[in-house]
Amino acid sequence: MLGLELVVVLCATVLVCQVAGDRLRIAPPILLLAAGALLGFVPALRDAHLPPEAMLLLFLPALLYWESLTTSLRGIRQDLRGIMLMSTALVILTAWAVAAVAHALGLPWGPAWVLGAAVAPTDATTVGVLARMLPRRSITLLRAESLINDGTALVVYGLTVGITVGEEHFSAPHVGWLFLLAYVGGAAAGAVTAWLSIQVRRRLDDPLLGNVVTILIPFTAFLLAELIKASGVLAVVVAGLIMSQVGPRLVGAATRRQAVAFWSLSTFLLNASLFVLVGLEAQSAARDLTSDDLAHALITVGVVSVVLVAVRFAFQFGAVYLIRLLDRRPQQRLRRMSHRARVVGGVTGFRGAVSLAVALSVPETLDSGAPFPDRDVIVFVTSGVIMLTLVVQGLLLPYVVRWARLPHDTSAEEERSLAETAAAEEALRALPDVAAGLGTAPEVAEWTRREYESHLRVVRADDADAEVVLHHKEDYTALRLALLARKRATVVRLRDEHHIDDTVLRQVQAYLDIEEVRLSGAELSD
């Protein structure tokens, strides 16, 4: 029964916090974290725990796949060197710095390194939620870093846990092999999964079956990577990036509409639920600590959070000056970011799902049968760091962005205008031949030509006549939407009067919905 209660509570909490966040102008994740911590006081929910397997095998593949599917591969290529440095060297440096500080605060080296590996990676989904106000390049950098650095952190985590429990040994060749296997094996597993899915999708026309294949992709990629002891995270990311390039040519419109609706809703619920569960886990971990241990753990949370921000800032500015010293090519100078933009990047180092999954995955016992040292402290500190960084940096970010005065990014609007103009012009040029080939009636071809020319006038409009053209378009859209509403009311009335069946209502309503979405742009997604 607890499972059903938890589902109801989670969904209700997500709904309330999302509405409250929009009205109070507070980032919803902050309210969700607070709500999760408060829910931990409810006796019926005290036994609610998130199994590590659920995080690693259910939440992460789905969330990371959607993030990689909607991330710009062109942007990753343009800043690949910086992304790789942030997702490998920075993660290792951060894990070492946190381990050193945690050891100085009393943790043994083994648990200290496990804690460092847990909090080292930033979280892709959290960045996507909290950093939407940033320019496109900044968001791409942050999301790409967060997608790749999870693999590095999980290798460091696996090695440190293995050494602590007595299953692994430390040597340079062994560590190098683990990283090579994680990255090369993970990338290969993702590429193989993407290739298999492409072969299957080419043979399927049914949107439902096509989307079943889409759902299989992240979990299959993760599974293949796990079977060869490689990075499941990297496998999912590679599969998503490949499908983002192949999908537009391979996937039909009906399948794509269905997929966007499914993934948008499911990832929203999964991500929001995770924030609530982080709060629950932090509260649960606090109950397992004595008062002295809790006070010490709270100090550790604060110190580790400061270290995370300090290391990120130091690395961002230090690596920049090193690159500028070594690489003085003109194209490298064109890619430089301002110091203010790098300050914004330093504030956006949010922690989230991967950190919680790593902390919860710490084994209960060593090989000797003894309890894993300070496991409760690791879980509590990780949960506390996630909450503190989200709350403090999430509240601080809007002010830092305003202070940075980042230039308004119009590249997306310009490229969209280019795409719409070129597509409409090409369609107009092809219209006579296409109409002749299909045997289209001349009046239908003429009607279509006028519609395309009207669209072109809108996308080509300059500052001089844009206001008039756009006003006409708005009038046209408002009229069409009002008529669609009248048509929908008529169809519903016919159903209520028993002139048509519910099945017919749904069929007609589907066409009306498609037209309404097209006119209103309500389904446009990043």
Side-chain angles (χ1 to χ4, degrees):
M1 191 64 181
L2 178 60
L4 182 59
E5 293 171 350
L6 188 59
V7 169
V8 173
V9 169
L10 278 177
C11 290
T13 303
V14 169
L15 179 62
V16 170
C17 291
Q18 195 69 33
V19 172
D22 292 340
R23 293 185 177 179
L24 299 176
R25 298 186 181 277
I26 299 175
I30 296 173
L31 299 179
L32 290 167
L33 285 169
L38 292 174
L39 288 173
F41 291 102
V42 179
L45 297 177
R46 288 191 173 183
D47 295 328
H49 295 283
L50 184 65
E53 296 80 9
M55 177 74 76
L56 288 173
L57 304 180
L58 176 62
F59 283 72
L60 279 185
L63 293 172
L64 292 175
Y65 182 68
W66 182 243
E67 288 295 327
S68 59
L69 200 63
T70 54
T71 295
S72 168
L73 183 58
R74 184 186 67 175
I76 293 176
R77 287 180 183 144
Q78 291 174 342
D79 289 293
L80 183 61
R81 179 173 57 188
I83 290 170
M84 293 306 298
L85 283 173
M86 296 289 286
S87 57
T88 54
L90 176 58
V91 172
I92 296 172
L93 178 63
T94 302
W96 169 80
V98 171
V101 169
H103 180 66
L105 292 173
L107 277 182
W109 272 115
W113 267 102
V114 172
L115 175 62
V119 299
T122 53
D123 185 67
T125 55
T126 307
V127 166
V129 171
L130 293 177
R132 295 186 185 278
M133 64 190 76
L134 300 179
R136 182 170 61 168
R137 183 188 176 193
S138 299
I139 293 179
T140 300
L141 286 169
L142 292 168
R143 292 174 75 179
E145 173 201 347
S146 302
L147 287 170
I148 299 172
N149 65 16
D150 297 338
T152 306
L154 290 173
V155 173
V156 175
Y157 163 76
L159 180 64
T160 54
V161 168
I163 293 173
T164 304
V165 301
E167 296 176 351
E168 291 280 2
H169 65 281
F170 180 84
S171 66
H174 182 60
V175 173
W177 165 248
L178 288 178
F179 276 99
L180 182 66
L181 177 61
Y183 280 93
V184 176
V192 169
T193 303
W195 182 83
L196 289 173
S197 67
I198 290 169
Q199 305 313 308
V200 175
R201 290 295 290 272
R202 283 175 175 162
R203 293 161 174 80
L204 294 175
D205 295 324
D206 190 324
L208 286 173
L209 296 180
N211 278 308
V212 171
V213 176
T214 302
I215 296 171
L216 275 173
I217 292 173
F219 302 103
T220 303
F222 204 97
L223 175 61
L224 285 180
E226 288 293 306
L227 290 176
I228 62 173
K229 307 298 183 184
S231 171
V233 168
L234 193 59
V236 173
V237 171
V238 169
L241 291 174
I242 292 175
M243 293 308 298
S244 73
Q245 302 303 300
V246 179
R249 295 186 180 91
L250 186 67
V251 179
T255 305
R256 187 161 43 248
R257 286 185 64 251
Q258 198 175 75
V260 169
F262 168 79
W263 284 104
S264 298
L265 176 60
S266 59
T267 53
F268 168 76
L269 288 175
L270 287 175
N271 200 40
S273 299
L274 276 177
F275 291 121
V276 180
L277 292 169
V278 168
L280 274 172
E281 289 295 338
Q283 221 265 14
S284 174
R287 291 197 302 269
D288 295 331
L289 299 173
T290 65
S291 57
D292 291 340
D293 290 339
L294 180 59
H296 190 265
L298 287 171
I299 295 173
T300 306
V301 168
V303 174
V304 167
S305 299
V306 171
V307 169
L308 291 176
V309 176
V311 170
R312 185 173 181 85
F313 270 88
F315 187 88
Q316 279 203 320
F317 284 93
V320 166
Y321 287 116
L322 180 61
I323 291 174
R324 290 182 181 180
L325 181 66
L326 299 177
D327 188 352
R328 296 182 176 275
R329 294 177 298 167
Q331 57 265 41
Q332 167 59 29
R333 295 182 180 179
L334 294 175
R335 301 296 300 167
R336 290 179 178 176
M337 300 175 65
S338 68
H339 290 323
R340 289 183 178 236
R342 295 193 181 279
V343 171
V344 174
V347 177
T348 52
F350 303 109
R351 269 62 186 177
V354 174
S355 295
L356 181 62
V358 168
L360 294 176
S361 300
V362 176
E364 299 280 352
T365 59
L366 305 175
D367 278 356
S368 62
F372 193 98
D374 296 299
R375 184 183 185 277
D376 291 335
V377 174
I378 294 172
V379 174
F380 177 82
V381 172
T382 302
S383 302
V385 166
I386 295 171
M387 296 179 69
L388 189 60
T389 55
L390 282 176
V391 171
V392 175
Q393 293 172 226
L395 292 175
L396 189 62
L397 181 59
Y399 301 101
V400 175
V401 171
R402 285 198 290 271
W403 165 82
R405 296 195 298 274
L406 300 177
H408 180 59
D409 187 0
T410 61
S411 59
E413 290 85 353
E414 293 169 359
E415 291 175 11
R416 178 175 171 179
S417 176
L418 170 65
E420 291 184 347
T421 303
E425 290 173 343
E426 181 64 27
L428 265 178
R429 283 193 295 268
L431 178 59
D433 294 336
V434 173
L438 294 174
T440 306
E443 54 270 22
V444 175
E446 178 62 20
W447 173 42
T448 305
R449 183 186 63 80
R450 288 199 300 268
E451 185 176 341
Y452 271 80
E453 288 179 344
S454 175
H455 176 66
L456 265 176
R457 282 196 297 272
V458 173
V459 297
R460 284 174 172 171
D462 54 22
D463 293 338
D465 59 352
E467 185 175 349
V468 175
V469 173
L470 291 177
H471 182 67
H472 288 169
K473 182 188 176 185
E474 290 171 359
D475 287 348
Y476 169 79
T477 300
L479 177 61
R480 289 291 302 272
L481 288 173
L483 292 175
L484 281 174
R486 190 66 65 90
K487 291 170 73 174
R488 182 176 287 106
T490 301
V491 175
V492 173
R493 176 176 57 78
L494 290 174
R495 190 278 312 269
D496 293 342
E497 294 174 353
H498 308 295
H499 296 302
I500 63 173
D501 186 62
D502 287 295
T503 304
V504 176
L505 167 66
R506 285 192 293 270
Q507 292 171 350
V508 176
Q509 203 168 43
Y511 288 108
L512 296 176
D513 290 345
I514 291 172
E515 181 68 7
E516 181 176 336
V517 167
R518 185 184 72 83
L519 288 168
S520 64
E523 203 179 45
L524 293 177
S525 177
D526 297 325

